[in-house]
Amino acid sequence: MPWTKVLVDQEDLERFHQEGKRTIKYVEALREAQAQLLESDSRVFLLGEGIDDPGGVFGSTKGLAQEFGSSRVMDIPIAENGMTGVAVGAATAGMRPIFIHMRMDFLPMCMDQLINHAAKWHYMTGGSVRVPLVVRSIIGRGWGSAGQHSQGLHGLFLHVPGLRIALPATPYDAKGMLIAAVEDENPVLVCEHRWLYNTIGFVPEGLYSVPLGQALIRNPGTDVTVVALSYMVLEALKAARDLEQEGVSVEVVDPRTIAPLDADTILESLSKTGRLVVADVASRTGGACAEIGCLVAERIPLALKAPLKRVAFPDAPTPASPVLEQAYYPGAEAIKQAVRETLA
């Protein structure tokens, strides 16, 4: 299916065009999703710092304030926790707010509203109150963004019951999962990796949703399972192509959401291959990699033919120096090395 494909190089793009498939950028898919939601549902509104600027949050909200007005696309003061409370209140009153953070690093300032209120009210009210809040947050470095503007904190929020967490890796999923998040009755964090914004893929023109909690096998294989999150899906596919030349067959699994996590697809793949590498866009300790590893240890410990490998950031703040950044961020080479180690 065209929507399962990830464009790794120019050959993929040319194939899509030959097949007559409409292709747009990841960031354009996000903008299109929001425009169509604003147009089709009067309950939807956007809020965030600088979302009506000419740049429009790296282009993902560009022009929406002019098209839909400041009452639907509103710039807010630098008061993240308080404004998250406004969004939570609006959601409980029947609205469908999309709160946009240009950096995931701003989410810690919203901890009280997200963790103590948005995530819990459905449980604490016996199901009588729902909080259909969507929080878009962007991860990934830019130009030496360093330790306070490039963190991937999705693993931190994974610990909080009641929050749903999506990490779309393709333009198709970026649009479909954002629409699904708005349609969901629960608070949903949509974590977008900035390095994916210019990637191109097949995206239908109309409204559609991608169900939350369904993983996808991006590349079938038989020797090693690589569970890759967010931008690491692209790096894992590059690694799989290179390793194929070495006679190694790599199955790449994209969970697409880590809460809920599609455990069955991951375990089914591992039952076939017996070897596991987990690749994340966050620090190594206590995150999604660890949770997926624990899942395997609990459910099918005897399936592992070799110790699992984690490919993630070092447990250190992101350096600003380009030279140190280069060493800090793992990619396809690190994934290939981890795969080889599971086969040794």
Side-chain angles (χ1 to χ4, degrees), residues 105 144-153 316-320 325 328-329:
D105 311 75
S145 300
Q148 295 174 324
H149 290 80
S150 56
Q151 298 172 89
L153 300 174
T318 310
E325 269 190 333
Y328 181 85
Y329 287 100

Side-chain angles (χ1 to χ4, degrees), residues 125-303:
T125 61
S128 62
V129 173
R130 296 185 180 276
V131 187
L133 165 68
V134 174
V135 177
R136 284 185 51 209
S137 58
I138 300 166
I139 59 180
R141 70 181 167 96
W143 54 94
S145 300
Q148 295 174 324
H149 290 80
S150 56
Q151 298 172 89
L153 300 174
H154 42 283
L156 189 65
F157 290 95
L158 181 59
H159 189 68
V160 181
L163 293 179
R164 296 186 170 216
I165 305 173
L167 294 111
T170 67
Y172 180 92
D173 281 355
K175 179 177 179 179
M177 295 177 78
L178 181 56
I179 293 170
V182 171
E183 293 172 344
D184 202 285
E185 297 293 339
N186 303 284
V188 183
L189 302 183
V190 180
C191 308
E192 307 153 11
H193 199 292
R194 188 177 165 189
W195 296 357
L196 292 169
Y197 270 24
N198 285 324
T199 59
I200 298 173
F202 166 66
V203 178
E205 292 185 18
L207 277 168
Y208 65 92
S209 60
V210 173
L212 304 179
Q214 292 187 8
L216 192 65
I217 295 176
R218 296 286 183 189
N219 187 70
T222 57
D223 295 329
V224 181
T225 296
V226 175
V227 178
L229 301 175
S230 184
Y231 177 75
M232 281 300 186
V233 172
L234 270 66
E235 295 297 317
L237 290 171
K238 293 175 187 173
R241 286 190 178 186
D242 291 347
L243 288 165
E244 188 177 359
Q245 304 304 314
E246 300 176 16
V248 179
S249 175
V250 176
E251 181 146 294
V252 178
V253 179
D254 176 3
R256 301 203 281 181
T257 61
I258 55 174
L261 179 67
D262 182 356
D264 290 343
T265 297
I266 295 171
L267 296 176
E268 184 178 343
S269 175
L270 183 58
S271 297
K272 179 174 59 177
T273 64
R275 296 177 174 84
L276 176 63
V277 173
V278 188
D280 194 7
V281 287
S283 294
R284 176 186 175 88
T285 301
C289 286
E291 181 59 29
I292 292 169
C294 185
L295 168 74
V296 172
E298 286 181 336
R299 299 275 292 273
I300 52 170
L302 300 181

